[in-house]
Amino acid sequence: MLLANSWQPSSLEDWQAAGFGLYVHWPFCQAKCPYCDFNSHVSREVDHPRWARAFEAELDRIAAETGPRPLTSIFFGGGTPSLMEEATVAAIIERATALWAPANDIEITLEANPTSVERAKFTAFAHAGVNRISMGIQSLVDEDLRRLGRLHSAREALDAYTTARSVFDRVSFDLIYGRQDQSEAAWENELDEALALGPDHLSLYQLTVEPGTVFGARFERGKLPGLPSEDRGAELYHITQSLTDAAGLAAYETSNHAKAGAECRHNLIYWRYGDFAGVGPGAHGRLTLGGIKYATDCLRDPGQWLQAVGAAGSGEASRQDVPPAEQGEEYLMMGLRLTEGVDLERAMGLGANIDTARLGRMIEGGWLERDGSNLRTTRLGRPLLNAVLGELLA
C-alpha cells in the first residue's frame, strides 16, 4: 500500500523550501590525489582573465533563464579554488550578487589546501566577499598524508588553519579516517587533536576507494593493504560520533559535524533539495525553470569547457528534466542524510512512492523514526543509510 499524498506544491515553488545557491568549479590542482575522483587537473599555466570572463558569461546565461532570485550561498569548489587569483574570485562574486539578490547573511565558501594558504591572499579573498573557508587537511599524521598523496605536512596544515582563522570567522576542515593501518586508538587521538583546535565545523569522511582513481587501480591489484574491515570501520564511525557529540559538534549530516548555527548553508541547499546553478568544468546543477526541474551538467574537460563558453556561449553539456517520481526519490536520498530528516508530505508531493509496509518494517526495526510528517534515520539507521534507502525506495 502506498502512502496517500495530501500536499501538492507546484514544482515551480518547491525549490524555495531550501533556497537557491551557486556552485563554481575551479578544476585545477597542484597535484592529483590518488583517492580523488573529482574533476581536477594539473596545469602549469592558467589564463586567469580568460577564465574570469568565461565564468561571468555563464552566470549571465543562467541568470537570464532563472530571472531574479534570492541567492543564499556561493561555493567555490574544485580542484583547489585557493589557487585562483583574487581578481577572478572577486569578479565572480560581484557578477553573481549583481544578477541575483544576495541574502543578508549570504554564505560564500572557498575551498583551500594548506599548500596554497597565504595571509595576504586570504585577506584579499575576504575583501572580495568570501566569508567561509573549507580546508582540505585530510590527516594530522605525516606518514598518512604521504600515503594520501598530499603535498603538505601536519605542521603545515596546522599553521594554515591558524592563518585561516586569523582572517575568517568561519573555517571548516576535512579529515579522512579508515585509512591504511589506522587503529581505533590512533583515530581517537587524531580526532581529539582536531577538536582541540576549537573548530565550529568538521567534515569527517571514511575513506572510500573509487573506481577510476589511482587507489582504485591499486586496490584491484591488491596493492592497498591495511584497509579496515567492515567491523573496524563501524567502530571508527562510532568513535567519530562519540567524540564529536562530546565536543558539541553533533552530526547534522552523515559526514558533517557542526556547532549549532555553523552548518554549511550551501550544502544544506543540496540536502534539502533546493535549486543550485553549477558553472565550471564538470559542474552539476538543479534548476527549476517554467515549472520543470532540470538536471544540468557542464563539459568536464577544462579546455573544451573554456572554448565552448567562448565559441558557443555555453559550457553546458546536457540538460534533462527530472520526472516527478525521481524528484521525490532524490529528495529522500539527499534529505535522509540529514539528522533533521525529511518532510514525507513534501516527498510525496514531489512524486515519491512510499510503500507503507516497507516503511513500517523499517520503523519497527529501529532504522527510521517518524513524527507526524517528519521522517528521519535513527542512530542505528544512519550508518546504514544506503541499505535503508535501498529498502525504502525498492
Side-chain angles (χ1 to χ4, degrees), residues 264-341:
C264 177
R265 296 171 206 159
H266 183 82
N267 286 342
L268 284 173
I269 292 175
Y270 300 156
W271 297 320
R272 290 173 176 165
Y273 206 54
D275 266 13
F276 57 97
V279 298
H284 295 270
R286 288 290 186 278
L287 291 175
T288 305
L289 304 170
I292 301 173
K293 189 93 163 183
Y294 291 99
T296 68
D297 68 271
C298 295
L299 294 164
R300 288 181 58 85
D301 180 82
Q304 291 180 0
W305 179 87
L306 193 61
Q307 183 175 4
V309 174
S314 173
E316 200 170 280
S318 69
R319 175 181 297 196
Q320 296 184 344
D321 63 292
V322 184
E326 288 187 23
Q327 289 185 46
E329 289 191 4
E330 284 187 345
Y331 172 52
L332 289 171
M333 290 173 67
M334 300 300 288
L336 284 175
R337 296 180 63 88
L338 292 169
T339 303
E340 70 185 25

Side-chain angles (χ1 to χ4, degrees), residues 225-393:
L227 293 177
S229 64
E230 186 174 330
D231 287 344
R232 184 150 61 94
E235 182 58 30
L236 292 169
Y237 172 84
H238 290 305
I239 288 171
T240 303
Q241 308 314 306
S242 176
L243 292 183
T244 52
D245 281 352
L249 274 76
Y252 69 97
E253 188 269 345
T254 303
S255 302
N256 286 272
H257 306 253
K259 294 179 180 178
E263 299 86 357
C264 177
R265 296 171 206 159
H266 183 82
N267 286 342
L268 284 173
I269 292 175
Y270 300 156
W271 297 320
R272 290 173 176 165
Y273 206 54
D275 266 13
F276 57 97
V279 298
H284 295 270
R286 288 290 186 278
L287 291 175
T288 305
L289 304 170
I292 301 173
K293 189 93 163 183
Y294 291 99
T296 68
D297 68 271
C298 295
L299 294 164
R300 288 181 58 85
D301 180 82
Q304 291 180 0
W305 179 87
L306 193 61
Q307 183 175 4
V309 174
S314 173
E316 200 170 280
S318 69
R319 175 181 297 196
Q320 296 184 344
D321 63 292
V322 184
E326 288 187 23
Q327 289 185 46
E329 289 191 4
E330 284 187 345
Y331 172 52
L332 289 171
M333 290 173 67
M334 300 300 288
L336 284 175
R337 296 180 63 88
L338 292 169
T339 303
E340 70 185 25
V342 298
D343 185 326
L344 268 177
E345 290 187 357
R346 183 184 173 203
M348 291 182 292
L350 285 168
N353 294 318
I354 301 174
D355 188 286
T356 54
R358 290 177 180 273
L359 178 60
R361 286 197 296 270
M362 284 188 289
I363 291 173
E364 290 175 8
W367 294 294
L368 291 172
E369 56 188 8
R370 182 179 178 183
D371 182 7
S373 185
N374 178 254
L375 181 70
R376 55 188 176 269
T377 52
T378 62
R379 277 190 171 271
L380 176 65
R382 207 161 297 138
L384 302 171
L385 179 61
N386 288 339
V388 169
L389 287 169
E391 177 69 14
L392 186 64
L393 300 175

